[in-house]
Amino acid sequence: MEKKGTPLSELGEFGLIDHLTNAIKLQNDSSQLGVGDDAAVLNYKNKKVLVTTDLLLEGIHFNMVYTPLKHLGYKAVVVNISDIVAMNAIPKQITVSIGVSARYTVEMLDELYDGIRLACEVYAVDLVGGDTSSSLTGLTISITCVGEGDDETLSYRNGAKDTDLICVTGDLGSAFMGLQLLEREQKVLKEVGGVQPDFAGFEYLLQRQLKPEARLDVVKSLRDKNIIPTSMIDISDGLSSELLHICKQSRVGCRIYEERIPVDFQTAKLAEEFNMNLITAALNGGEDYELLFSVPLKYHDEIIKLPQVRIIGHITDESKGAFMITRGDETEIELVAQGWNGLG
């Protein structure tokens, strides 16, 4: 017999907050006071304070049919951490606010918070506050992340210069293809019923979609080499969109090379199976949460030593526009922003 979950009403709002947060231990000196009072107290002394927030809505940003709650909690934290990392800064604290409908039980929220706490442990971030509310539309998650940085090491979108190298971390398009796979299996299940999902050989793509990672490791590697990116952004909406953000705000152009864009084997394999254009997935897929950044040309020899970083092109004068050079015939294709639109 299936075990019935505990209704949220049994604990009440404050009882639920205490239940979900009573095991939290603060890790950062800047976290002076966390959960338990009217407001958190943060002490950053002489550091710059960075703040970012994301709102995730059931049915818009995630589908509970194929999204485990623990993975959802982890991902919700990581997407915020990634925004702080993309400023070449270090994440330190988060607040978590949730709206939940009556179909969610205490045990289900325990799973969600298991993922949230795991992300906090992995990235040494403190959960210092938040709020809970009832909802008529499923699950809503709003997370705010606070980070710290120094004036001289922060990277913005507006600092790219002509001749700078354009770099990306990891590989691109895999999270998008993971989403295509999940949606295909959901459709099959809906149409046929009683069929087990077939994910064999594509486990990496599922991980990239359901449990992405922020590239704090790369920021630390760049710091170890005393390299400060002239511009930086995380790839949440697709490579094309993010690169055009940098070009617009830095008032520059760019040239990237199709053959240099990093793509994983599973991404290529599934794109072929779906009869999809591979480079389109890599350019426009989104949700990879890799870093896109520019560095002065003088750092070329240092950058190529970083195994997690790939040079894919260079910054040009604004008058030359933003283009990709295709593989083989070297045709120039103008870059267009076709990534995720949260209001679309």
Side-chain angles (χ1 to χ4, degrees), residues 26-95:
L26 300 181
Q27 307 175 75
N28 295 290
D29 291 340
S30 54
S31 301
Q32 193 166 311
L33 178 66
V35 178
D37 214 310
D38 292 309
V41 178
L42 310 180
N43 184 355
Y44 276 85
K45 298 179 182 176
N46 298 320
K47 297 284 187 178
K48 291 293 183 181
V49 179
L50 297 89
V51 182
T52 184
T53 190
D54 268 303
L55 179 66
L56 302 177
L57 304 173
E58 183 175 348
I60 301 294
H61 302 97
F62 58 89
N63 187 331
M64 292 311 305
V65 172
Y66 51 69
T67 307
L69 281 162
K70 185 173 182 179
H71 286 67
L72 177 60
Y74 190 92
K75 181 175 181 177
V77 175
V78 164
V79 300
N80 282 270
I81 286 175
S82 184
D83 283 334
I84 298 295
V85 169
M87 300 291 292
N88 201 32
I90 306 298
K92 291 294 183 179
Q93 290 90 16
I94 62 167
T95 64

Side-chain angles (χ1 to χ4, degrees), residues 36-272:
D37 214 310
D38 292 309
V41 178
L42 310 180
N43 184 355
Y44 276 85
K45 298 179 182 176
N46 298 320
K47 297 284 187 178
K48 291 293 183 181
V49 179
L50 297 89
V51 182
T52 184
T53 190
D54 268 303
L55 179 66
L56 302 177
L57 304 173
E58 183 175 348
I60 301 294
H61 302 97
F62 58 89
N63 187 331
M64 292 311 305
V65 172
Y66 51 69
T67 307
L69 281 162
K70 185 173 182 179
H71 286 67
L72 177 60
Y74 190 92
K75 181 175 181 177
V77 175
V78 164
V79 300
N80 282 270
I81 286 175
S82 184
D83 283 334
I84 298 295
V85 169
M87 300 291 292
N88 201 32
I90 306 298
K92 291 294 183 179
Q93 290 90 16
I94 62 167
T95 64
V96 179
S97 295
I98 57 174
V100 287
S101 65
R103 67 183 173 86
Y104 285 87
T105 64
V106 172
E107 287 76 13
M108 293 171 75
L109 293 188
D110 280 339
E111 288 185 45
L112 180 73
Y113 269 74
D114 282 346
I116 290 172
R117 283 191 293 269
L118 177 59
C120 287
E121 292 171 9
V122 170
Y123 292 96
V125 168
D126 293 329
L127 198 169
V128 296
D131 194 17
T132 63
S133 175
S134 60
S135 168
L136 298 177
T137 56
L139 178 61
T140 298
I141 307 171
S142 178
I143 294 183
T144 296
C145 186
V146 181
E148 68 173 28
D150 298 305
D151 247 346
E152 61 271 18
T153 59
L154 291 179
S155 295
Y156 303 88
R157 299 178 183 183
N158 62 1
K161 301 289 190 298
D162 189 8
T163 74
D164 280 356
L165 300 172
I166 300 172
C167 308
V168 295
T169 62
D171 60 84
L172 304 179
S174 50
F176 173 74
M177 293 312 301
L179 180 60
Q180 304 312 302
L181 180 61
L182 286 165
E183 291 186 341
R184 181 190 70 176
E185 295 305 309
Q186 181 192 8
K187 184 178 179 181
V188 170
L189 183 62
K190 187 175 181 179
E191 293 176 351
V192 180
V195 178
Q196 288 297 314
D198 182 12
F199 299 135
F202 298 113
E203 292 80 5
Y204 174 69
L205 304 185
L206 296 183
Q207 177 187 331
R208 292 280 285 176
Q209 170 56 218
L210 297 175
K211 188 177 174 289
E213 301 291 351
R215 297 314 301 256
L216 184 58
D217 59 326
V218 174
V219 164
K220 291 179 177 179
S221 293
L222 292 172
R223 288 188 175 200
D224 289 343
K225 292 184 175 293
N226 295 315
I227 298 174
I228 303 172
T230 53
S231 67
M232 184 181 278
I233 193 171
D234 73 332
I235 304 177
S236 57
D237 299 331
L239 175 62
S240 289
S241 293
E242 313 299 5
L243 188 51
L244 288 173
H245 282 314
I246 286 178
C247 288
K248 180 180 179 179
Q249 295 193 30
S250 297
R251 297 184 178 181
V252 295
C254 70
R255 291 295 183 277
I256 60 172
Y257 297 85
E258 178 183 358
E259 64 186 16
R260 297 184 186 179
I261 296 174
V263 177
D264 181 76
F265 171 75
Q266 289 186 19
T267 303
K269 183 180 177 183
L270 190 61
E272 181 179 8

